[in-house]
Amino acid sequence: MTQPDLPDVSGLSIGILGGTGDQGKGLARRFALAGHDVLIGSRNAERAREAAASLELTVRGDANAQVATEADVVIVAVPWDGHKATLESLASELAGKIVIDCVNPLGFDKQGAYALPVEEGSAAQQAAAVLPESRVVGAFHHVSAVLLLDPTVGEMELDVLVLGDDREATDIVRALAERIPGMRGVYGGRLRNAHQVEAFTANLISINRRYKAHAGLRITDV
Amino acid sequence: MTQPDLPDVSGLSIGILGGTGDQGKGLARRFALAGHDVLIGSRNAERAREAAASLELTVRGDANAQVATEADVVIVAVPWDGHKATLESLASELAGKIVIDCVNPLGFDKQGAYALPVEEGSAAQQAAAVLPESRVVGAFHHVSAVLLLDPTVGEMELDVLVLGDDREATDIVRALAERIPGMRGVYGGRLRNAHQVEAFTANLISINRRYKAHAGLRITDV
Protein backbone atom coordinates (compact mmCIF):
# COMPACT_ATOMS: atom_id res chain seq x y z
CA MET A 1 0.00 0.00 0.00
CA THR A 2 3.03 2.33 0.20
CA GLN A 3 2.64 5.10 -2.31
CA PRO A 4 5.62 5.40 -4.63
CA ASP A 5 5.21 9.10 -5.40
CA LEU A 6 6.32 10.22 -1.95
CA PRO A 7 9.69 11.83 -1.11
CA ASP A 8 12.51 10.00 0.67
CA VAL A 9 12.35 11.20 4.27
CA SER A 10 14.54 8.55 5.83
CA GLY A 11 17.26 11.07 6.73
CA LEU A 12 15.05 13.53 8.59
CA SER A 13 15.48 14.01 12.31
CA ILE A 14 12.24 14.30 14.28
CA GLY A 15 11.65 16.38 17.37
CA ILE A 16 8.61 15.81 19.55
CA LEU A 17 7.41 18.64 21.77
CA GLY A 18 5.59 17.24 24.74
CA GLY A 19 7.36 13.97 24.07
CA THR A 20 7.10 12.86 27.67
CA GLY A 21 3.38 12.10 27.26
CA ASP A 22 2.27 8.71 26.03
CA GLN A 23 1.37 9.87 22.53
CA GLY A 24 4.68 11.68 22.04
CA LYS A 25 6.71 8.90 23.59
CA GLY A 26 4.91 6.34 21.46
CA LEU A 27 5.65 8.24 18.25
CA ALA A 28 9.26 8.72 19.37
CA ARG A 29 9.56 4.99 19.85
CA ARG A 30 8.16 4.10 16.42
CA PHE A 31 10.24 6.69 14.56
CA ALA A 32 13.40 5.59 16.36
CA LEU A 33 12.64 1.97 15.46
CA ALA A 34 12.25 3.15 11.85
CA GLY A 35 15.81 4.50 11.98
CA HIS A 36 15.19 8.21 12.55
CA ASP A 37 17.19 10.44 14.83
CA VAL A 38 14.53 11.35 17.41
CA LEU A 39 14.56 14.06 20.05
CA ILE A 40 12.02 14.23 22.85
CA GLY A 41 11.25 17.71 24.14
CA SER A 42 9.72 18.88 27.39
CA ARG A 43 9.59 22.11 29.34
CA ASN A 44 11.90 20.30 31.73
CA ALA A 45 15.02 19.00 29.97
CA GLU A 46 15.69 16.49 32.73
CA ARG A 47 12.22 14.93 32.35
CA ALA A 48 12.76 14.79 28.61
CA ARG A 49 16.03 12.93 29.09
CA GLU A 50 14.36 10.47 31.46
CA ALA A 51 11.54 9.82 28.99
CA ALA A 52 14.05 9.32 26.19
CA ALA A 53 16.14 6.93 28.27
CA SER A 54 13.03 4.94 29.26
CA LEU A 55 12.54 3.93 25.63
CA GLU A 56 15.87 2.08 25.61
CA LEU A 57 16.55 3.22 22.06
CA THR A 58 18.82 5.93 20.69
CA VAL A 59 16.29 8.67 21.43
CA ARG A 60 17.64 11.82 23.07
CA GLY A 61 15.84 14.28 25.33
CA ASP A 62 16.18 18.02 25.82
CA ALA A 63 14.26 21.22 26.51
CA ASN A 64 11.52 22.02 23.97
CA ALA A 65 13.43 25.04 22.61
CA GLN A 66 16.57 23.01 21.97
CA VAL A 67 14.56 20.25 20.28
CA ALA A 68 12.72 22.79 18.13
CA THR A 69 16.05 24.25 17.04
CA GLU A 70 17.77 20.99 16.32
CA ALA A 71 15.17 18.75 14.64
CA ASP A 72 14.37 18.84 10.92
CA VAL A 73 10.67 18.23 11.51
CA VAL A 74 8.82 18.91 14.75
CA ILE A 75 5.75 17.11 16.08
CA VAL A 76 3.56 18.96 18.57
CA ALA A 77 2.22 16.50 21.13
CA VAL A 78 1.70 18.81 24.09
CA PRO A 79 -1.52 18.84 26.13
CA TRP A 80 -4.19 21.08 24.60
CA ASP A 81 -3.98 23.17 27.73
CA GLY A 82 -0.52 24.45 27.01
CA HIS A 83 -0.74 24.29 23.21
CA LYS A 84 -0.97 27.96 22.33
CA ALA A 85 1.50 29.25 24.94
CA THR A 86 4.09 26.59 24.12
CA LEU A 87 3.96 27.30 20.40
CA GLU A 88 4.04 31.09 20.91
CA SER A 89 7.21 30.70 22.95
CA LEU A 90 8.88 28.63 20.20
CA ALA A 91 7.82 30.61 17.13
CA SER A 92 11.34 31.71 16.18
CA GLU A 93 12.88 28.24 16.68
CA LEU A 94 10.13 26.70 14.52
CA ALA A 95 10.31 29.27 11.72
CA GLY A 96 10.78 27.63 8.33
CA LYS A 97 10.16 24.12 9.64
CA ILE A 98 7.45 21.61 9.07
CA VAL A 99 5.44 21.48 12.28
CA ILE A 100 3.11 18.50 12.65
CA ASP A 101 0.26 19.11 15.04
CA CYS A 102 -1.36 15.97 16.47
CA VAL A 103 -3.18 17.61 19.36
CA ASN A 104 -6.88 16.82 19.94
CA PRO A 105 -8.78 19.48 21.88
CA LEU A 106 -11.11 17.25 23.90
CA GLY A 107 -13.07 17.49 27.10
CA PHE A 108 -14.17 14.57 29.24
CA ASP A 109 -17.16 14.04 31.50
CA LYS A 110 -19.28 11.13 32.76
CA GLN A 111 -20.54 10.48 29.22
CA GLY A 112 -17.05 10.24 27.80
CA ALA A 113 -15.10 12.49 25.47
CA TYR A 114 -16.35 15.44 23.45
CA ALA A 115 -14.81 18.06 21.21
CA LEU A 116 -13.88 21.41 22.71
CA PRO A 117 -14.58 24.57 20.72
CA VAL A 118 -11.40 26.21 19.42
CA GLU A 119 -11.40 29.88 18.55
CA GLU A 120 -9.18 29.37 15.51
CA GLY A 121 -11.26 26.37 14.38
CA SER A 122 -8.84 23.61 15.35
CA ALA A 123 -5.55 23.00 17.12
CA ALA A 124 -3.83 22.85 13.74
CA GLN A 125 -5.27 26.20 12.70
CA GLN A 126 -4.26 27.66 16.03
CA ALA A 127 -0.71 26.43 15.40
CA ALA A 128 -0.77 27.99 11.94
CA ALA A 129 -1.97 31.29 13.41
CA VAL A 130 0.70 31.32 16.09
CA LEU A 131 3.48 30.09 13.77
CA PRO A 132 3.04 32.13 10.58
CA GLU A 133 6.57 31.31 9.43
CA SER A 134 6.24 27.55 9.90
CA ARG A 135 4.68 25.00 7.58
CA VAL A 136 1.94 23.58 9.77
CA VAL A 137 0.45 20.18 8.97
CA GLY A 138 -2.11 18.23 10.99
CA ALA A 139 -1.50 14.47 11.34
CA PHE A 140 -1.28 11.49 13.71
CA HIS A 141 -4.46 12.48 15.57
CA HIS A 142 -5.92 8.99 15.80
CA VAL A 143 -2.88 6.93 16.63
CA SER A 144 -3.35 4.90 19.79
CA ALA A 145 -0.60 5.65 22.31
CA VAL A 146 -1.20 2.22 23.84
CA LEU A 147 -0.46 0.47 20.55
CA LEU A 148 2.52 2.74 19.76
CA LEU A 149 4.12 1.76 23.05
CA ASP A 150 3.18 -1.93 22.95
CA PRO A 151 6.26 -4.01 22.09
CA THR A 152 4.06 -6.88 20.88
CA VAL A 153 2.46 -4.68 18.21
CA GLY A 154 4.64 -4.79 15.11
CA GLU A 155 2.27 -3.06 12.71
CA MET A 156 -0.02 -0.10 13.31
CA GLU A 157 -3.14 -0.85 11.34
CA LEU A 158 -4.42 2.59 10.38
CA ASP A 159 -4.31 5.42 7.90
CA VAL A 160 -2.87 8.69 9.10
CA LEU A 161 -4.90 11.59 7.73
CA VAL A 162 -2.56 14.41 6.76
CA LEU A 163 -4.06 17.90 6.56
CA GLY A 164 -2.49 21.05 5.26
CA ASP A 165 -2.41 23.75 2.63
CA ASP A 166 1.22 23.14 1.55
CA ARG A 167 1.41 20.21 -0.84
CA GLU A 168 5.13 19.58 -0.41
CA ALA A 169 4.80 19.62 3.38
CA THR A 170 1.83 17.25 3.43
CA ASP A 171 3.68 14.88 1.10
CA ILE A 172 6.68 14.84 3.45
CA VAL A 173 4.42 14.11 6.41
CA ARG A 174 2.60 11.40 4.47
CA ALA A 175 5.99 9.85 3.77
CA LEU A 176 6.91 10.08 7.45
CA ALA A 177 3.70 8.25 8.41
CA GLU A 178 4.68 5.46 6.06
CA ARG A 179 8.00 4.99 7.86
CA ILE A 180 6.00 3.25 10.60
CA PRO A 181 5.01 -0.28 9.55
CA GLY A 182 1.30 -0.64 8.78
CA MET A 183 0.63 3.09 8.66
CA ARG A 184 -0.35 4.82 5.49
CA GLY A 185 -0.26 8.58 5.02
CA VAL A 186 -3.41 9.77 3.26
CA TYR A 187 -4.00 13.39 2.33
CA GLY A 188 -7.09 14.41 4.28
CA GLY A 189 -7.85 17.97 3.20
CA ARG A 190 -6.92 21.53 4.02
CA LEU A 191 -6.26 22.91 7.47
CA ARG A 192 -9.73 24.43 7.54
CA ASN A 193 -11.04 20.87 7.66
CA ALA A 194 -8.79 19.82 10.55
CA HIS A 195 -11.34 20.38 13.31
CA GLN A 196 -13.44 17.36 12.54
CA VAL A 197 -10.39 15.11 12.27
CA GLU A 198 -9.21 16.21 15.70
CA ALA A 199 -12.73 16.00 17.13
CA PHE A 200 -13.24 12.53 15.67
CA THR A 201 -10.84 11.27 18.33
CA ALA A 202 -13.80 11.62 20.72
CA ASN A 203 -15.73 9.16 18.56
CA LEU A 204 -12.81 6.74 18.51
CA ILE A 205 -12.76 6.91 22.31
CA SER A 206 -16.50 6.07 22.34
CA ILE A 207 -15.83 3.20 19.95
CA ASN A 208 -12.97 1.95 22.11
CA ARG A 209 -15.25 1.91 25.15
CA ARG A 210 -18.09 0.13 23.42
CA TYR A 211 -15.99 -2.45 21.62
CA LYS A 212 -13.05 -2.70 24.02
CA ALA A 213 -10.77 -1.88 21.10
CA HIS A 214 -7.97 0.42 20.02
CA ALA A 215 -9.81 1.69 16.99
CA GLY A 216 -8.18 3.40 14.05
CA LEU A 217 -9.32 4.48 10.60
CA ARG A 218 -8.75 3.11 7.16
CA ILE A 219 -9.85 5.02 4.10
CA THR A 220 -11.36 2.69 1.50
CA ASP A 221 -10.95 3.01 -2.28
CA VAL A 222 -7.64 4.90 -1.86
CA MET B 1 -17.91 -9.21 9.89
CA THR B 2 -21.67 -9.17 10.58
CA GLN B 3 -22.26 -8.77 14.25
CA PRO B 4 -24.50 -11.49 15.68
CA ASP B 5 -25.85 -9.49 18.62
CA LEU B 6 -27.97 -7.22 16.43
CA PRO B 7 -31.78 -7.38 16.14
CA ASP B 8 -33.60 -8.81 13.12
CA VAL B 9 -34.73 -5.80 11.11
CA SER B 10 -35.55 -7.58 7.87
CA GLY B 11 -39.27 -6.82 8.21
CA LEU B 12 -38.98 -3.06 8.71
CA SER B 13 -40.26 -0.70 6.06
CA ILE B 14 -38.02 2.27 5.32
CA GLY B 15 -39.14 5.74 4.34
CA ILE B 16 -36.66 8.22 2.86
CA LEU B 17 -37.48 11.92 3.12
CA GLY B 18 -35.78 13.77 0.31
CA GLY B 19 -35.52 10.48 -1.48
CA THR B 20 -35.43 12.13 -4.89
CA GLY B 21 -31.83 13.25 -4.32
CA ASP B 22 -28.96 10.94 -5.26
CA GLN B 23 -28.15 9.97 -1.67
CA GLY B 24 -31.74 9.15 -0.83
CA LYS B 25 -32.38 7.38 -4.09
CA GLY B 26 -29.19 5.38 -3.68
CA LEU B 27 -30.17 4.24 -0.19
CA ALA B 28 -33.67 3.42 -1.45
CA ARG B 29 -32.15 1.27 -4.16
CA ARG B 30 -29.90 -0.69 -1.78
CA PHE B 31 -32.60 -1.26 0.84
CA ALA B 32 -35.06 -2.39 -1.82
CA LEU B 33 -32.45 -4.80 -3.20
CA ALA B 34 -32.04 -6.10 0.37
CA GLY B 35 -35.74 -6.94 0.43
CA HIS B 36 -37.18 -4.01 2.37
CA ASP B 37 -40.40 -2.23 1.60
CA VAL B 38 -39.07 1.22 0.68
CA LEU B 39 -40.95 4.51 0.30
CA ILE B 40 -39.38 7.58 -1.26
CA GLY B 41 -40.71 10.89 0.01
CA SER B 42 -40.61 14.35 -1.49
CA ARG B 43 -42.47 17.61 -1.00
CA ASN B 44 -43.96 16.80 -4.37
CA ALA B 45 -45.63 13.38 -4.39
CA GLU B 46 -45.46 13.18 -8.17
CA ARG B 47 -41.69 13.72 -8.19
CA ALA B 48 -41.37 11.07 -5.49
CA ARG B 49 -43.30 8.60 -7.62
CA GLU B 50 -41.12 9.37 -10.63
CA ALA B 51 -37.93 8.84 -8.60
CA ALA B 52 -39.28 5.58 -7.22
CA ALA B 53 -40.26 4.35 -10.67
CA SER B 54 -36.83 5.26 -12.07
CA LEU B 55 -35.22 2.68 -9.79
CA GLU B 56 -37.13 -0.13 -11.54
CA LEU B 57 -37.61 -1.94 -8.25
CA THR B 58 -40.61 -2.23 -5.94
CA VAL B 59 -39.98 1.17 -4.37
CA ARG B 60 -43.01 3.45 -3.97
CA GLY B 61 -43.11 7.24 -3.86
CA ASP B 62 -45.36 9.66 -2.03
CA ALA B 63 -45.45 13.01 -0.24
CA ASN B 64 -43.06 13.32 2.72
CA ALA B 65 -45.90 13.41 5.25
CA GLN B 66 -47.45 10.21 3.91
CA VAL B 67 -44.05 8.47 3.90
CA ALA B 68 -43.35 9.64 7.46
CA THR B 69 -46.70 8.23 8.56
CA GLU B 70 -46.41 4.91 6.80
CA ALA B 71 -42.78 3.80 7.21
CA ASP B 72 -41.46 1.99 10.28
CA VAL B 73 -38.12 3.79 10.14
CA VAL B 74 -37.50 7.11 8.42
CA ILE B 75 -34.26 8.33 6.87
CA VAL B 76 -33.78 12.08 6.49
CA ALA B 77 -31.88 12.79 3.28
CA VAL B 78 -33.16 16.28 2.51
CA PRO B 79 -30.82 19.14 1.57
CA TRP B 80 -29.38 20.92 4.61
CA ASP B 81 -31.16 24.01 3.46
CA GLY B 82 -34.61 22.66 4.15
CA HIS B 83 -33.64 20.35 7.01
CA LYS B 84 -35.11 22.18 9.96
CA ALA B 85 -38.33 23.34 8.29
CA THR B 86 -39.04 19.92 6.80
CA LEU B 87 -38.60 18.15 10.12
CA GLU B 88 -40.64 20.74 12.01
CA SER B 89 -43.51 20.19 9.61
CA LEU B 90 -43.37 16.41 10.15
CA ALA B 91 -42.91 16.27 13.92
CA SER B 92 -46.24 14.63 14.65
CA GLU B 93 -45.92 12.03 11.87
CA LEU B 94 -42.42 11.14 13.10
CA ALA B 95 -43.33 10.91 16.80
CA GLY B 96 -42.30 7.60 18.33
CA LYS B 97 -40.27 6.54 15.28
CA ILE B 98 -36.62 5.98 14.70
CA VAL B 99 -35.44 8.86 12.53
CA ILE B 100 -32.06 8.39 10.86
CA ASP B 101 -30.39 11.65 9.92
CA CYS B 102 -27.73 11.38 7.22
CA VAL B 103 -27.53 15.06 6.34
CA ASN B 104 -24.13 16.75 6.09
CA PRO B 105 -24.20 20.52 6.58
CA LEU B 106 -21.49 21.54 4.11
CA GLY B 107 -20.54 24.61 2.17
CA PHE B 108 -18.58 24.66 -1.07
CA ASP B 109 -16.21 27.20 -2.57
CA LYS B 110 -13.21 27.22 -4.89
CA GLN B 111 -11.15 25.29 -2.34
CA GLY B 112 -13.71 22.54 -2.05
CA ALA B 113 -16.05 21.54 0.76
CA TYR B 114 -16.07 22.75 4.33
CA ALA B 115 -18.26 22.22 7.38
CA LEU B 116 -20.98 24.76 8.08
CA PRO B 117 -21.58 25.84 11.67
CA VAL B 118 -24.85 24.49 13.08
CA GLU B 119 -26.52 26.22 15.99
CA GLU B 120 -27.57 22.94 17.60
CA GLY B 121 -24.10 21.43 17.04
CA SER B 122 -24.97 19.13 14.15
CA ALA B 123 -27.79 18.19 11.81
CA ALA B 124 -28.54 15.18 13.99
CA GLN B 125 -28.79 17.33 17.10
CA GLN B 126 -31.00 19.77 15.23
CA ALA B 127 -33.27 16.86 14.31
CA ALA B 128 -33.36 15.74 17.93
CA ALA B 129 -34.23 19.27 19.04
CA VAL B 130 -37.03 19.61 16.49
CA LEU B 131 -38.34 16.06 17.01
CA PRO B 132 -38.38 15.59 20.79
CA GLU B 133 -40.75 12.62 20.51
CA SER B 134 -38.70 10.75 17.91
CA ARG B 135 -35.67 8.54 18.42
CA VAL B 136 -33.06 10.36 16.39
CA VAL B 137 -29.97 8.51 15.21
CA GLY B 138 -27.20 9.80 12.96
CA ALA B 139 -25.91 7.40 10.28
CA PHE B 140 -25.06 6.89 6.58
CA HIS B 141 -23.20 10.21 6.35
CA HIS B 142 -20.28 8.92 4.34
CA VAL B 143 -21.98 6.64 1.87
CA SER B 144 -21.17 7.56 -1.71
CA ALA B 145 -24.33 8.21 -3.72
CA VAL B 146 -22.40 7.30 -6.87
CA LEU B 147 -21.57 3.85 -5.54
CA LEU B 148 -25.06 3.30 -4.11
CA LEU B 149 -26.53 3.91 -7.56
CA ASP B 150 -23.89 2.04 -9.54
CA PRO B 151 -25.32 -1.30 -10.72
CA THR B 152 -21.80 -2.71 -11.13
CA VAL B 153 -21.05 -2.19 -7.42
CA GLY B 154 -22.28 -5.23 -5.52
CA GLU B 155 -20.66 -4.48 -2.17
CA MET B 156 -20.31 -1.15 -0.39
CA GLU B 157 -16.92 -1.27 1.25
CA LEU B 158 -17.37 0.91 4.31
CA ASP B 159 -18.40 1.08 7.93
CA VAL B 160 -21.46 3.13 8.73
CA LEU B 161 -20.92 5.09 11.92
CA VAL B 162 -24.13 5.10 13.95
CA LEU B 163 -24.55 7.86 16.52
CA GLY B 164 -27.21 8.24 19.15
CA ASP B 165 -28.14 8.25 22.81
CA ASP B 166 -30.71 5.43 22.60
CA ARG B 167 -28.98 2.06 22.60
CA GLU B 168 -31.90 0.09 21.18
CA ALA B 169 -32.33 2.59 18.36
CA THR B 170 -28.64 2.63 17.43
CA ASP B 171 -28.62 -1.19 17.43
CA ILE B 172 -31.56 -1.25 15.02
CA VAL B 173 -29.83 1.22 12.73
CA ARG B 174 -26.58 -0.74 12.91
CA ALA B 175 -28.55 -3.80 11.86
CA LEU B 176 -30.15 -1.87 8.99
CA ALA B 177 -26.70 -0.83 7.75
CA GLU B 178 -25.70 -4.47 7.67
CA ARG B 179 -28.61 -5.29 5.38
CA ILE B 180 -26.56 -3.72 2.58
CA PRO B 181 -23.79 -6.05 1.42
CA GLY B 182 -20.33 -4.89 2.50
CA MET B 183 -21.57 -2.34 5.00
CA ARG B 184 -21.02 -2.72 8.68
CA GLY B 185 -22.86 -0.72 11.32
CA VAL B 186 -20.46 0.51 13.98
CA TYR B 187 -21.58 2.47 17.01
CA GLY B 188 -19.82 5.82 16.74
CA GLY B 189 -20.74 7.73 19.88
CA ARG B 190 -23.47 9.96 21.24
CA LEU B 191 -25.34 12.60 19.28
CA ARG B 192 -23.17 15.31 20.82
CA ASN B 193 -20.30 13.83 18.80
CA ALA B 194 -22.22 13.83 15.51
CA HIS B 195 -20.87 17.12 14.21
CA GLN B 196 -17.43 15.82 13.35
CA VAL B 197 -18.86 12.77 11.61
CA GLU B 198 -21.06 14.96 9.42
CA ALA B 199 -18.23 17.45 8.84
CA PHE B 200 -15.81 14.66 7.95
CA THR B 201 -17.70 14.31 4.70
CA ALA B 202 -15.83 17.46 3.62
CA ASN B 203 -12.56 15.57 4.14
CA LEU B 204 -13.84 12.61 2.16
CA ILE B 205 -14.67 15.00 -0.67
CA SER B 206 -11.08 16.34 -0.51
CA ILE B 207 -9.78 12.78 -0.55
CA ASN B 208 -12.00 11.92 -3.51
CA ARG B 209 -10.62 14.88 -5.46
CA ARG B 210 -7.02 14.13 -4.68
CA TYR B 211 -7.17 10.38 -5.25
CA LYS B 212 -9.98 10.24 -7.80
CA ALA B 213 -11.78 7.85 -5.47
CA HIS B 214 -15.09 7.22 -3.76
CA ALA B 215 -13.59 7.06 -0.31
CA GLY B 216 -15.26 5.52 2.70
CA LEU B 217 -14.18 4.65 6.22
CA ARG B 218 -13.35 1.41 7.90
CA ILE B 219 -12.80 1.27 11.65
CA THR B 220 -9.87 -1.00 12.52
CA ASP B 221 -9.67 -3.33 15.53
CA VAL B 222 -13.49 -3.54 15.73
Side-chain angles (χ1 to χ4, degrees):
Chain A
M1 293 214 299
T2 300
Q3 297 161 79
D5 56 320
L6 294 177
D8 177 9
V9 294
S10 57
L12 295 180
S13 65
I14 299 171
I16 304 181
L17 308 180
T20 56
D22 282 346
Q23 186 83 352
K25 214 157 64 176
L27 288 169
R29 177 172 178 274
R30 295 287 168 172
F31 281 118
L33 288 171
H36 288 272
D37 188 16
V38 177
L39 298 98
I40 279 181
S42 169
R43 277 176 302 185
N44 179 325
E46 193 45 49
R47 284 196 57 220
R49 279 188 275 272
E50 284 167 20
S54 76
L55 290 173
E56 302 185 337
L57 293 160
T58 56
V59 178
R60 291 175 292 138
D62 212 326
N64 278 332
Q66 184 57 34
V67 168
T69 301
E70 210 176 314
D72 295 324
V73 173
V74 176
I75 297 175
V76 182
V78 300
W80 169 238
D81 240 359
H83 185 261
K84 191 169 188 173
T86 301
L87 294 183
E88 278 173 340
S89 73
L90 297 170
S92 62
E93 288 88 344
L94 294 171
K97 300 202 177 189
I98 292 177
V99 174
I100 306 172
D101 202 301
C102 68
V103 173
N104 299 311
L106 298 181
F108 293 86
D109 62 18
K110 280 184 300 184
Q111 299 194 328
Y114 59 93
L116 295 174
V118 178
E119 198 189 326
E120 295 85 353
S122 61
Q125 285 164 293
Q126 183 181 85
V130 169
L131 306 172
E133 296 184 59
S134 301
R135 304 164 77 185
V136 174
V137 172
F140 299 109
H141 302 94
H142 302 152
V143 186
S144 157
V146 173
L147 297 184
L148 287 170
L149 288 167
D150 186 338
T152 71
V153 174
E155 298 223 344
M156 300 291 301
E157 196 207 333
L158 86 163
D159 288 346
V160 170
L161 292 168
V162 178
L163 296 110
D165 300 336
D166 173 336
R167 173 74 185 251
E168 188 189 36
T170 56
D171 280 353
I172 287 170
V173 176
R174 288 172 54 212
L176 281 171
E178 308 216 343
R179 299 282 297 162
I180 299 178
M183 278 193 197
R184 193 172 61 150
V186 174
Y187 172 73
R190 291 174 175 271
L191 278 193
R192 69 174 181 176
N193 282 319
H195 165 74
Q196 51 266 29
V197 174
E198 299 171 2
F200 190 74
T201 306
N203 301 76
L204 289 172
I205 291 170
S206 303
I207 292 168
N208 289 342
R209 282 191 181 194
R210 172 68 65 90
Y211 295 94
K212 306 197 191 323
H214 298 292
L217 290 187
R218 285 284 191 202
I219 305 294
T220 60
D221 199 34
V222 166
Chain B
M1 297 212 298
T2 300
Q3 296 160 82
D5 56 322
L6 293 177
D8 177 9
V9 295
S10 56
L12 295 181
S13 65
I14 299 172
I16 303 181
L17 308 179
T20 57
D22 281 346
Q23 186 83 353
K25 214 156 65 176
L27 288 169
R29 176 172 178 275
R30 295 287 167 170
F31 281 118
L33 288 171
H36 288 272
D37 188 16
V38 177
L39 298 98
I40 279 182
S42 168
R43 275 177 303 183
N44 180 326
E46 195 43 49
R47 284 197 55 220
R49 279 188 276 271
E50 283 166 20
S54 76
L55 289 173
E56 302 184 338
L57 292 161
T58 58
V59 178
R60 292 176 291 139
D62 212 326
N64 278 332
Q66 184 58 32
V67 168
T69 302
E70 209 177 315
D72 295 323
V73 173
V74 176
I75 297 175
V76 183
V78 301
W80 170 237
D81 242 0
H83 185 261
K84 191 169 188 173
T86 301
L87 294 182
E88 278 172 341
S89 73
L90 298 170
S92 63
E93 289 86 344
L94 294 171
K97 300 202 177 189
I98 291 177
V99 174
I100 306 173
D101 203 300
C102 68
V103 174
N104 299 311
L106 298 181
F108 294 86
D109 63 16
K110 280 184 301 185
Q111 299 194 328
Y114 58 95
L116 294 174
V118 179
E119 197 188 327
E120 296 85 352
S122 61
Q125 285 164 293
Q126 183 180 85
V130 170
L131 306 172
E133 296 184 59
S134 300
R135 304 163 79 186
V136 174
V137 172
F140 299 109
H141 302 93
H142 302 151
V143 185
S144 157
V146 174
L147 298 184
L148 287 171
L149 288 168
D150 186 338
T152 70
V153 174
E155 299 224 342
M156 301 291 301
E157 196 206 334
L158 87 163
D159 288 345
V160 171
L161 292 168
V162 178
L163 296 109
D165 300 337
D166 173 337
R167 173 72 184 252
E168 190 190 35
T170 56
D171 280 354
I172 287 170
V173 177
R174 287 172 55 211
L176 282 172
E178 308 215 344
R179 298 282 298 162
I180 299 176
M183 278 194 198
R184 193 171 62 149
V186 175
Y187 172 72
R190 292 176 174 269
L191 278 193
R192 69 173 181 177
N193 282 320
H195 165 73
Q196 52 265 29
V197 174
E198 298 171 2
F200 191 74
T201 306
N203 301 76
L204 289 172
I205 291 169
S206 304
I207 292 168
N208 288 343
R209 281 192 183 196
R210 172 67 67 92
Y211 296 95
K212 308 196 191 319
H214 298 293
L217 289 186
R218 286 284 192 201
I219 305 294
T220 59
D221 199 34
V222 165

